């Protein structure tokens, strides 16, 4: 099977490892890929924001399947363009990708389909937003979201009226270009955040989905959830204290109304939806939709999935997903991100990395190879990932391999999964305060 994989980071490297683990031979081509992905297949330079460039390559190279890693190509219409050639694409149409590409569209979708979420106001005018802030009644922080894609930087939790005004004015002045000239204000939700991934295959005639295990990301750069937000410093799953009835609650309150809503709205879906969930005192509420796999959640999910990934993604891409419980290892998986100095404000690149022999899976995210030497080449540089019979054992396995990878300035959180482990050991459930 010839597969074109779009992307270049840790998520794509984890997908590539899993695609290659198929019993059937896989010919992998990554675009644009990376030096690390070049060791798992070919790489081709394509502009992922240009659907016709991707389609032109596909028309002459005829892959059996295209797998989209990031959201940007989907929002740009790469899924539509590839499907237009009759080539299966795991990745939604642009109209569906709008669920991530526009927070205002996503909120309207949630409200239209009765999906529990934070109360919100969408604002397109300076005076209206300033008045909203001055008469805000939902408590603090005031959550401000740039409507469009902002590379993960478009959400601000303003702790005061003054901070909200400064943030809002910067957004309206074009801090993220057109993406921030529409602003969604949200009431704050308090609780435990988790990541729920669902494979979805929806068109006018049929709708099916398959749940992946719930994971938890760790967004802050420092241990004990301190410091600025990052793309994610580590993740694990499934959550040890989530009971079957908790999964059922997310299925009935969030997932099924979403799948029905897609069909009612005439939106085709052929890929994954990653639901950002806040488990509040009222139960699970939806923070956001992503139309792609999470990073680093994918590194966890690929350790747990016990299916032929290429075959599974092709089922979705060809619109013949059979709703079912996916085969999973009876394990807990965990990934720890090794990040560059200065991340997340910047990233010190070009620093030589010492790599020994970790006893767990090494996942490249932002690396480059020069004269046989791996160098840092991004904010999130490498991941260590593994699965084990339980969360404590998974943590111990990663801890045992941490000494095998190093460079000056490397940042790592050694508390990935620790809060959840203590929560579970104390006999608490998802309903208890987090
Ligand atoms: P989003 O991109 O919408 O997931 O927002 C980024 C992060 O901001 C989320 O992962 C949450 O931690 C936080 N966040 C977003 N919306 C809210 C909200 N309404 N209340 C509290 N935190 C939020
Ligand atoms: N780990 C969060 C994300 O991929 O958006």
């Amino acid at each position: 099977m010839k597969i074109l994989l779009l992307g270049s980071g840790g998520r794509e490297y984890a997908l590539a490892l899993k695609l290659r683990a198929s019993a059937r031979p896989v010919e992998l081509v990554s675009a644009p890929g990376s030096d690390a992905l070049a060791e798992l297949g070919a790489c081709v330079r394509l502009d992922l924001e240009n659907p016709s460039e991707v389609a032109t390559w596909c028309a002459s190279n005829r892959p059996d399947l295209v797998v989209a890693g990031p959201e940007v190509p989907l929002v740009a219409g790469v899924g539509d363009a590839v499907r237009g050639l009759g080539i299966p694409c795991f990745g939604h149409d642009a109209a569906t990708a709008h669920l991530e590409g526009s927070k205002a569209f996503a909120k309207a979708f949630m409200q239209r389909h009765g999906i529990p979420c934070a109360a919100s106001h969408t604002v397109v005018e300076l005076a209206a937003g300033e008045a909203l802030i001055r008469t805000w009644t939902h408590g603090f922080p005031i959550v401000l979201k740039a409507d469009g894609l902002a590379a993960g930087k478009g959400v601000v939790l303003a702790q005061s009226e003054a901070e909200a005004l400064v943030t809002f004015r910067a957004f309206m002045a074009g801090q993220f270009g057109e993406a921030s000239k529409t602003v969604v204000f949200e009431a704050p939700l308090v609780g435990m955040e988790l990541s729920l991934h669902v494979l979805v295959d929806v068109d006018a005639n049929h709708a099916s989905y398959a749940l992946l295990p719930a994971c938890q990301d760790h967004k802050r750069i420092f241990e004990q959830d301190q410091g600025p937000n990052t793309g994610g410093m580590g993740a694990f799953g499934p959550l040890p204290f989530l009971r079957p009835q908790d999964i059922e609650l997310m299925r009935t309150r969030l997932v099924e109304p979403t799948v029905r809503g897609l069909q009612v709205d005439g939106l085709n879906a052929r890929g994954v939806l990653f639901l950002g969930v806040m488990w509040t005192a009222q139960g699970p509420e939806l923070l956001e939709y992503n139309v792609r796999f999470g990073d680093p959640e994918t590194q966890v999910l690929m350790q747990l999935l016990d299916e032929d990934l290429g075959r599974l993604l092709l089922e979705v891409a060809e619109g013949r997903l059979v709703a079912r419980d996916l085969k999973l290892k009876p394990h807990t998986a965990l990934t720890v991100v090794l990040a560059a100095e200065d991340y997340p404000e910047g990233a010190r690149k070009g620093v030589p990395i010492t790599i020994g022999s970790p006893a767990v899976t090494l996942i490249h995210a932002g690396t480059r190879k020069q004269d046989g030497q791996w160098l840092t080449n991004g904010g999130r540089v490498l991941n260590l990932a593994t699965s084990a019979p339980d969360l404590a054992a998974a943590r111990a396995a990663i801890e045992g391999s941490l000494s095998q990878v190093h460079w000056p300035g490397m940042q790592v959180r050694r508390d990935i999964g620790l809060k959840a482990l203590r929560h579970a050991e104390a006999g608490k459930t998802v309903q208890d305060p987090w």
Side-chain angles (χ1 to χ4, degrees), residues 154-167:
V155 176
V156 174
L157 306 186
Q159 300 297 338
S160 65
E161 186 179 307
E163 187 186 351
L165 282 169
V166 168
T167 304

Side-chain angles (χ1 to χ4, degrees), residues 100 103 107 117-119 141-145 152-157 185-191 193 217 219-220 229 274 276-278 286-290 292:
E100 181 167 359
K103 303 229 182 239
K107 288 300 294 200
C117 61
I142 304 180
V143 182
L144 290 94
K145 302 186 174 185
K153 298 194 164 55
V155 176
V156 174
L157 306 186
F185 285 82
E186 277 184 22
L189 294 180
V190 179
E193 211 173 325
D217 190 8
K219 298 210 174 182
R220 305 297 192 96
N229 263 323
F274 155 12
V277 177
M278 187 75 90
L286 190 56
L287 285 173
E288 61 162 355
Y289 291 110
N290 298 292
R292 46 151 180 102

Side-chain angles (χ1 to χ4, degrees), residues 292-335:
R292 46 151 180 102
F293 282 113
D295 188 345
E297 287 89 338
T298 306
Q299 290 81 315
V300 168
L301 295 173
M302 294 305 117
Q303 295 279 332
L304 293 173
L305 192 65
D306 198 10
E307 304 233 358
D308 182 316
L309 183 66
R311 190 175 297 197
L312 179 62
L313 301 188
L314 189 62
E315 245 183 72
V316 176
E318 290 183 334
R320 47 180 184 79
L321 175 69
V322 179
R324 62 177 182 278
D325 291 332
L326 297 172
K327 267 201 269 165
L328 301 166
K329 289 184 204 148
H331 274 185
T332 298
L334 188 129
T335 193

Side-chain angles (χ1 to χ4, degrees), residues 65-387:
L65 172 66
V66 176
V67 177
E71 66 281 6
V72 169
L74 299 175
V75 173
V78 165
D80 312 61
V82 171
R83 258 186 293 284
L85 300 167
I87 294 174
C89 181
F90 181 86
H92 305 291
D93 287 354
T96 304
H98 224 47
L99 285 173
E100 181 167 359
S102 165
K103 303 229 182 239
F105 176 79
K107 288 300 294 200
F109 180 94
M110 294 174 207
Q111 280 149 7
R112 190 160 60 244
H113 299 296
I115 297 164
C117 61
S120 71
H121 305 261
T122 295
V123 173
V124 293
E125 234 194 27
L126 194 64
E130 290 178 349
L132 179 64
I133 292 168
R134 294 206 169 95
T135 57
W136 187 254
T137 56
H138 300 290
F140 287 89
I142 304 180
V143 182
L144 290 94
K145 302 186 174 185
D147 178 53
L149 296 182
K153 298 194 164 55
V155 176
V156 174
L157 306 186
Q159 300 297 338
S160 65
E161 186 179 307
E163 187 186 351
L165 282 169
V166 168
T167 304
F168 175 63
R169 288 175 185 145
F171 276 11
M172 294 302 279
Q175 184 180 359
F176 299 105
E178 287 305 311
S180 64
K181 291 188 180 169
T182 297
V183 180
V184 176
F185 285 82
E186 277 184 22
L189 294 180
V190 179
M192 190 203 62
E193 211 173 325
L194 59 89
S195 304
L196 185 65
H197 287 72
V198 193
L199 302 179
V200 284
D201 173 7
V202 176
D203 62 26
N205 303 315
H206 102 140
S208 59
Y209 72 88
L211 284 182
L212 285 154
C215 307
Q216 190 163 55
D217 190 8
H218 296 59
K219 298 210 174 182
R220 305 297 192 96
I221 182 80
F222 300 130
E223 289 174 8
Q224 294 174 349
D225 298 326
Q226 303 294 311
N229 263 323
T230 69
M233 290 296 289
F236 72 92
L239 290 114
F241 46 79
L242 268 194
R243 303 157 299 186
Q245 64 263 40
D246 302 324
I247 309 280
E248 278 315 297
L249 204 55
M250 290 195 283
R251 183 195 288 276
T252 52
R253 284 203 190 166
L254 308 180
V255 176
E256 289 181 345
T258 296
V259 171
R260 272 198 303 275
L262 287 166
Q263 197 174 37
V264 167
D265 288 357
L267 294 168
N268 296 334
R270 293 264 186 278
V272 63
L273 284 181
F274 155 12
L275 280 60
V277 177
M278 187 75 90
W279 201 293
T280 71
Q282 282 72 49
E285 301 196 35
L286 190 56
L287 285 173
E288 61 162 355
Y289 291 110
N290 298 292
V291 297
R292 46 151 180 102
F293 282 113
D295 188 345
E297 287 89 338
T298 306
Q299 290 81 315
V300 168
L301 295 173
M302 294 305 117
Q303 295 279 332
L304 293 173
L305 192 65
D306 198 10
E307 304 233 358
D308 182 316
L309 183 66
R311 190 175 297 197
L312 179 62
L313 301 188
L314 189 62
E315 245 183 72
V316 176
E318 290 183 334
R320 47 180 184 79
L321 175 69
V322 179
R324 62 177 182 278
D325 291 332
L326 297 172
K327 267 201 269 165
L328 301 166
K329 289 184 204 148
H331 274 185
T332 298
L334 188 129
T335 193
V336 168
V337 170
L338 309 178
E341 189 175 352
D342 294 341
Y343 182 68
E345 279 79 22
R348 179 128 183 259
K349 295 186 182 174
V351 181
I353 306 168
T354 306
I355 301 179
S357 313
V360 299
T361 307
L362 182 67
I363 292 168
H364 285 255
T367 60
R368 166 169 85 78
K369 200 173 200 178
Q370 188 174 307
D371 303 328
Q373 168 69 53
W374 288 107
L375 305 172
T376 65
N377 196 40
R380 292 186 290 175
V381 177
L382 290 162
N383 291 218
L384 293 172
T386 198
S387 77

